[in-house]
Amino acid sequence: MAASASASAPAPATVTAAETTATAARAVTTSGIRFDKVTVAYDGNVVLDALDLTVEPGEVMALLGPSGSGKTTALRAVAGFVRPASGRVLLGDRDVTDLPPHRRGIGMVVQQYALFPHMRVEDNVAFGLRARKVARAGTRERVAEALDMTGMGAYARRYPRELSGGQQQRVAIARALAIRPDVLLLDEPLSALDAQLRSGMLAELARLHRELPDVSVLYVTHDQVEALTLADRIAVMDRARLQACGTPRELYRAPANEFTASFVGNANLLPVTVAAGGVSFGDAEIEVDTGSAARGASATLCVRPHLVGLGEDDSPNRLTGTVAEIQWRGATHRLYVDVAGHRVMADLRELRNPPAHGDEVTLHFAPDDAVLLPAEVGGHG
């Protein structure tokens, strides 16, 4: 799109010379985000604990975790709305820890849109540009460009009350993009939308990132689908600490711990004991790569539900149990099977004759489809 081409470099004819110089300098010095052992505390209560994390230039990093995990606090530290008790926040090679929000040159989109109800769409989008004293001609061009990029060009003269929730969120994104930030912060931007609108906005955000490949994005969410769909890497947060960081595929296929396994996708987490050539679970001997785990040690076996099959096959790993619950989910059936006192999930496609509640069944999975994790106190046994 033409909009993306013009977004990469301000046109000298439509902005002031001073702004052109400042924008060029910012592009060199502020791409990417670095948390250098950032700790945030309120009244002695640590809500972000020594976060070490780098968002590369042009990368989409999702901060994923439950409420109270520290993910929004991390984002607010980048925005300048909270002051770290220790550590540094850097945008590129600039230490911005002590800079006020308006001097950081970032764009931000929050959950509740935060549009000015008395302003038309075009004036909402222009707000940040006018605060930065961008020339009038440059403001008009950038507003039109940002609205076109978000599919809201035809709504420039409307008021927020005349727009749907999804349209209002597009305007909020356009406002953040209009200032041409090197860093874009998204704080649960889709959580107020219904499922259908959320799906559409995910596709739009993915498209926008393709058109703005140099913008670093920090995306806060508790929704694993959003993180898996949009992020180049995911940082998993829990209890104020970073639990794991990696690509969606890495975290899904080889989670570092029980919390990551359970929060990034669904997982069967079974307490096992390391044995010769594998592990034991109840009366079953299971083949799995045990790595350096000591024989007799306690561990947790992670198996994704969609990798569990029903019935006999050639796999050496078989579990026999009783059907406790069955759910039809359209394309799949979700079976919950009681095995050795634990409930095992299996997501099965094209199951024309599902078993009934109370039936005894055999489940199977391949050795390569299981991952051995260290046992955790209070884990998901």
Side-chain angles (χ1 to χ4, degrees), residues 33 36 128 185 225 232 269 322 324:
I33 306 166
D36 180 17
L185 307 179
V225 174
D232 298 308
L269 298 170
T322 303

Side-chain angles (χ1 to χ4, degrees), residues 321-381:
T322 303
V323 175
E325 185 179 351
I326 184 166
Q327 299 173 352
W328 180 67
R329 301 188 172 193
T332 64
H333 283 83
R334 162 72 62 85
L335 259 64
Y336 293 89
V337 180
D338 285 338
V339 181
H342 297 272
R343 188 159 289 192
V344 179
M345 296 178 289
D347 288 339
L348 306 165
R349 289 185 176 274
E350 299 179 357
L351 191 59
R352 298 185 181 277
N353 297 301
H357 181 275
D359 283 356
E360 185 175 281
V361 296
T362 298
L363 305 175
H364 61 262
F365 55 90
D368 290 344
D369 289 335
V371 178
L372 197 64
L373 308 176
E376 297 181 8
V377 177
H380 306 266

Side-chain angles (χ1 to χ4, degrees), residues 8-340:
S8 60
T14 58
V15 294
T16 66
E19 190 202 4
T20 300
T21 301
T23 301
R26 190 165 64 248
V28 172
T29 60
T30 63
S31 58
I33 306 166
R34 182 182 166 204
F35 296 89
D36 180 17
K37 295 181 172 59
V38 174
T39 295
V40 176
Y42 299 128
D43 298 326
N45 181 36
V46 174
V47 294
L48 187 65
D49 191 359
L51 177 61
D52 253 330
L53 184 68
T54 298
V55 183
E56 301 294 344
E59 181 179 37
V60 178
M61 173 75 78
L63 293 181
L64 178 67
S67 297
S69 61
K71 58 188 188 298
T72 295
T73 300
L75 181 138
R76 289 173 62 83
V78 177
F81 299 145
V82 298
R83 179 71 169 81
S86 61
R88 301 183 302 157
V89 177
L90 296 95
L91 299 181
D93 57 5
R94 280 198 313 157
D95 185 341
V96 299
T97 310
D98 296 320
L99 286 182
H102 68 274
R103 292 185 57 194
R104 300 194 181 197
I106 59 175
M108 186 169 180
V109 180
V110 297
Q111 179 177 339
Q112 297 298 335
Y113 321 137
L115 301 178
F116 297 106
H118 63 287
M119 291 184 181
R120 297 183 189 273
V121 163
E122 60 188 0
D123 294 320
N124 267 282
V125 176
F127 183 83
L129 298 169
R130 289 170 179 160
R132 287 165 172 77
K133 302 188 185 303
V134 177
R136 184 174 297 178
T139 295
R140 284 197 301 269
E141 178 184 310
R142 290 203 193 180
V143 168
E145 175 186 275
L147 288 175
D148 285 343
M149 289 185 72
T150 54
M152 292 299 293
Y155 300 86
R157 299 291 295 167
R158 295 195 184 184
Y159 288 97
R161 64 178 177 272
E162 299 173 311
L163 304 177
S164 69
Q167 290 170 334
Q168 291 184 55
Q169 195 61 296
R170 287 170 185 259
V171 174
I173 292 170
R175 180 175 58 188
L177 295 177
I179 65 171
R180 293 175 180 163
D182 294 306
V183 171
L184 180 61
L185 307 179
L186 302 174
D187 187 7
E188 307 230 28
L190 309 184
S191 62
L193 306 179
D194 62 39
Q196 186 172 0
L197 281 175
R198 194 157 56 242
S199 177
M201 283 301 299
L202 276 174
E204 288 300 311
L205 288 172
R207 178 186 61 79
L208 282 171
H209 186 245
R210 290 194 297 270
E211 294 185 11
L212 300 169
D214 297 328
V215 176
S216 299
V217 180
L218 189 63
Y219 189 103
V220 165
T221 182
H222 64 274
D223 188 310
Q224 59 180 261
V225 174
E226 291 180 19
L228 292 169
T229 300
L230 284 177
D232 298 308
R233 287 190 298 153
I234 299 172
V236 181
M237 305 286 296
D238 186 41
R239 290 173 291 184
R241 293 188 175 187
L242 178 66
Q243 297 293 319
C245 184
T247 67
R249 184 176 294 274
E250 288 169 347
L251 296 182
Y252 191 83
R253 292 289 296 172
N257 50 46
E258 291 185 27
F259 181 82
T260 302
S262 62
F263 211 84
V264 181
N266 294 306
N268 292 301
L269 298 170
L270 308 176
V272 296
T273 302
V274 179
V279 298
S280 59
F281 172 64
D283 295 331
E285 296 297 322
I286 297 173
E287 290 187 19
V288 64
D289 182 3
T290 59
S292 59
R295 187 170 179 177
S298 297
T300 298
L301 190 72
C302 172
V303 188
R304 299 294 183 182
H306 75 279
L307 298 175
V308 178
L310 178 66
E312 301 284 348
D313 82 337
D314 296 332
S315 171
N317 295 335
R318 301 178 187 178
L319 301 175
T320 300
T322 303
V323 175
E325 185 179 351
I326 184 166
Q327 299 173 352
W328 180 67
R329 301 188 172 193
T332 64
H333 283 83
R334 162 72 62 85
L335 259 64
Y336 293 89
V337 180
D338 285 338
V339 181

